[in-house]
Amino acid sequence: MYNNTKQRGPSRSSNYSSGGRSGGASRGGFSSGGNRGGGRSSFGGSRGGGNRNKRKSSYERIDVSRFISKSTVVEKEEIYLPTHTFGDFKIEAKLKLAIANKNYIYPSPIQDKSIPHSLEGRDILGIADTGTGKTAAFLIPILNKIIKDKNETAIIIAPTRELAIQIEKECNDLARGMQIWSVVCVGGAPISAQIRGLRRECNIVIGTPGRLLDLVKRGEIDLSTTRSVVLDEADRMLDMGFINDITFLLEKTPNDRQGFFFSATLPKPIEKLIERFASDPVKVMVKTRDTSKNVEQDVIRINRDTNKIDVLCDLLDKEDEFKKVLIFSEMKHAVEKLSVELIKRGYKAGSIHGDKRHNDRQKTLLKFRNNEIHIMVATDVAARGLDIPEVTHVINYEIPQTYDTYIHRIGRTGRADKKGVALTFVG
Ligand code: AMP
């Protein structure tokens, strides 16, 4: 236990609201053109935070001993021998070149096992987590379709804005110079810029369920001819209360759609949804490495007389150890308050949470990635699915609601064969 005594151009990806354009063609398209400017129709408040009311002191139910594990073994990632090379895939030469430019030498297991089938038009059910290369696993076949026919369109539905933007970045990298158009449609960013992007026509829409639903209802997105549909992190979308929204969106797509369903776990409602919308999908399971084995886990006991933030600062002061620290707190306002306090005390810190403007969240993330700040305070939702390299410590300033969330949090460290440390404040 720790002692507590103390606008055009291939890389417009940064423009979250109007997406990347990789060239000049303007074919393909989402915008049905009808019903423009129609009333904003709400879909029953199921957007985000679906579990908010369930918030209770459920942490009492997690046995504190589960937050302690000293016997870390930095497991070398098992070497996977792919059965294909990217050269084997029946994809366009320019896509192969783009993959090579990303320095992807061999397909990751999920890519190796799913791409040959998806190139044949099969639906895919991928049980895989972030970090497995699942994004390229669905983007490669989709981009290949679009290169062959610029009228092809795809919709990619992701739980969070950050994940949507991460996907768009990968998409822009892989589609560079190919005249493939994408638009990111996420909540918290101005809808007007997104509408402009959609009206300019585009091949790929990447977005979060609530905003996509809004745009469909306004008649700005027409899914009736969208023959590629991706659900990314489907189980997270369920957790976040988006199940009705994604069902609604899927219902709008044509029957001959190709579905790419990705989820780390397969809870019943998601299984049912996939059963309904996928036809005989190829199921690919990728054993995600149990990163928690790479993570030394311990608790920091706080008693009534100790000032929690002072204890935190004592840790952060050990700068040669605590080089890149992700701190989790439960509520948005608590995250903001903590980050403001840390900045006041002279730390290079930032925060991401749902109340923060989308642009500001992106800026903070970039700074954290680039080591301009070395502390980021986050809510679970905001940090979900993020792939940030070299986080040395995860600190649970507040205990997560569920053990699953705990595992998800600590998985932000101890990545890529590195050792990580997770510390949980317990009262
Ligand atoms: P993802 O699970 O899609 O978020 O991908 C996790 C990370 O793996 C990202 O940084 C990707 O750029 C990277 N990646 C994806 N496919 C490959 C590959 N075949 N070889 C090397 N890196 C990859």
Side-chain angles (χ1 to χ4, degrees):
M1 193 193 315
Y2 272 67
N3 193 333
N4 69 1
T5 47
K6 254 204 97 117
Q7 132 125 282
R8 309 238 152 147
S11 52
R12 270 183 47 211
S13 58
S14 57
N15 185 345
Y16 57 87
S17 57
S18 56
R21 307 253 148 179
S22 308
S26 83
R27 279 175 284 159
F30 271 91
S31 198
S32 59
N35 192 27
R36 285 197 177 142
R40 184 193 195 104
S41 39
S42 156
F43 202 62
S46 60
R47 255 170 245 171
N51 287 339
R52 225 170 275 153
N53 295 336
K54 289 188 205 151
R55 189 182 293 284
K56 275 193 209 110
S57 59
S58 54
Y59 77 81
E60 313 279 9
R61 281 183 251 126
I62 310 175
D63 182 348
V64 166
S65 67
R66 296 180 86 186
F67 301 139
I68 304 174
S69 166
K70 302 286 183 63
S71 55
T72 52
V73 194
V74 177
E75 283 198 335
K76 276 266 169 236
E77 196 143 7
E78 255 174 54
I79 309 270
Y80 172 78
L81 291 176
T83 49
H84 305 89
T85 64
F86 284 113
D88 296 336
F89 292 148
K90 293 191 180 79
I91 53 175
E92 299 292 305
K94 48 183 155 181
L95 192 49
K96 287 184 184 170
L97 192 65
I99 294 167
N101 284 339
K102 287 279 290 172
N103 287 326
Y104 295 174
I105 315 280
Y106 293 107
S108 71
I110 188 93
Q111 295 160 3
D112 191 40
K113 291 176 187 170
S114 71
I115 290 176
H117 300 288
S118 50
L119 288 173
E120 285 172 0
R122 297 281 305 271
D123 286 345
I124 302 293
L125 166 53
I127 305 297
D129 210 344
T130 303
T132 54
K134 64 184 165 60
T135 316
F138 60 74
L139 282 177
I140 290 170
I142 288 175
L143 289 172
N144 196 55
K145 267 198 218 179
I146 299 172
I147 296 168
K148 291 211 275 210
D149 177 359
K150 286 283 163 55
N151 291 312
E152 279 285 339
T153 57
I155 184 162
I156 300 170
I157 310 171
T160 63
R161 309 161 202 191
E162 282 72 18
L163 186 59
I165 286 160
Q166 221 165 263
I167 294 168
E168 199 214 18
K169 186 180 174 306
E170 182 93 350
C171 183
N172 281 349
D173 288 348
L174 290 173
R176 186 149 294 160
M178 294 183 195
Q179 305 193 335
I180 291 174
W181 304 62
S182 63
V183 179
V184 171
C185 298
V186 292
I191 199 164
S192 51
Q194 296 167 5
I195 291 174
R196 278 199 301 278
L198 291 165
R199 288 183 184 179
R200 278 204 309 259
E201 309 294 330
C202 67
N203 300 96
I204 304 177
V205 171
I206 307 161
T208 46
R211 179 54 61 91
L212 290 172
L213 184 95
D214 197 349
L215 288 161
V216 168
K217 291 190 146 197
R218 287 169 182 236
E220 297 294 347
I221 295 178
D222 173 14
L223 293 176
S224 65
T225 55
T226 302
R227 298 190 319 118
S228 302
V229 182
V230 179
L231 286 193
D232 199 7
E233 300 203 353
D235 52 350
R236 296 285 164 202
M237 292 200 273
L238 172 73
D239 284 352
M240 292 165 79
F242 285 137
I243 190 82
N244 290 338
D245 294 7
I246 52 181
T247 306
F248 176 94
L249 292 168
L250 283 166
E251 279 168 349
K252 298 282 174 203
T253 59
N255 286 338
D256 65 348
R257 79 187 90 74
Q258 181 178 19
F260 299 81
F261 303 94
F262 287 87
S263 201
T265 57
L266 209 52
K268 258 274 164 284
I270 292 299
E271 200 179 350
K272 276 191 168 161
L273 186 88
I274 293 169
E275 248 167 45
R276 179 173 165 205
F277 290 101
S279 84
D280 188 24
V282 176
K283 190 169 175 185
V284 180
M285 284 182 84
V286 169
K287 196 178 125 256
T288 344
R289 205 159 48 113
D290 182 3
T291 47
S292 60
K293 290 206 183 109
N294 287 10
V295 183
E296 184 185 320
Q297 299 160 61
D298 209 343
V299 294
I300 299 179
R301 293 203 184 270
I302 300 290
N303 58 43
R304 261 187 227 155
D305 308 323
T306 28
N307 184 337
K308 208 169 162 184
I309 195 158
D310 287 343
V311 177
L312 176 66
C313 291
D314 285 346
L315 293 171
L316 298 176
D317 286 342
K318 298 177 191 161
E319 280 179 14
D320 46 341
E321 275 178 58
F322 287 71
K323 289 188 180 127
K324 195 163 185 173
V325 187
L326 184 56
I327 303 175
F328 285 98
S329 202
E330 285 286 290
M331 312 290 280
K332 298 173 205 168
H333 68 264
V335 164
E336 188 56 30
K337 199 169 149 205
L338 181 57
S339 126
V340 166
E341 181 59 28
L342 289 174
I343 293 166
K344 235 192 252 168
R345 293 186 182 210
Y347 296 94
K348 286 186 176 164
S351 66
I352 56 166
H353 55 76
D355 279 350
K356 213 168 163 174
R357 279 188 31 228
H358 173 74
N359 240 347
D360 294 335
R361 285 163 66 164
Q362 282 309 110
K363 275 190 203 149
T364 305
L365 266 174
L366 197 67
K367 281 189 190 164
F368 190 55
R369 259 181 214 285
N370 298 341
N371 300 316
E372 286 169 53
I373 55 173
H374 74 278
I375 300 163
M376 189 166 80
V377 194
T379 53
D380 291 302
V381 170
R384 204 159 262 174
L386 293 181
D387 183 33
I388 302 163
E390 300 189 336
V391 172
T392 58
H393 290 73
V394 165
I395 296 182
N396 296 307
Y397 195 65
E398 280 169 84
I399 292 178
Q401 299 291 310
T402 64
Y403 191 66
D404 180 53
T405 306
Y406 172 76
I407 289 295
H408 202 264
R409 285 182 182 184
I410 71 168
R412 308 297 101 198
T413 183
R415 292 166 92 94
D417 297 338
K418 296 235 166 64
K419 186 174 154 298
V421 179
L423 302 173
T424 303
F425 281 60
V426 296

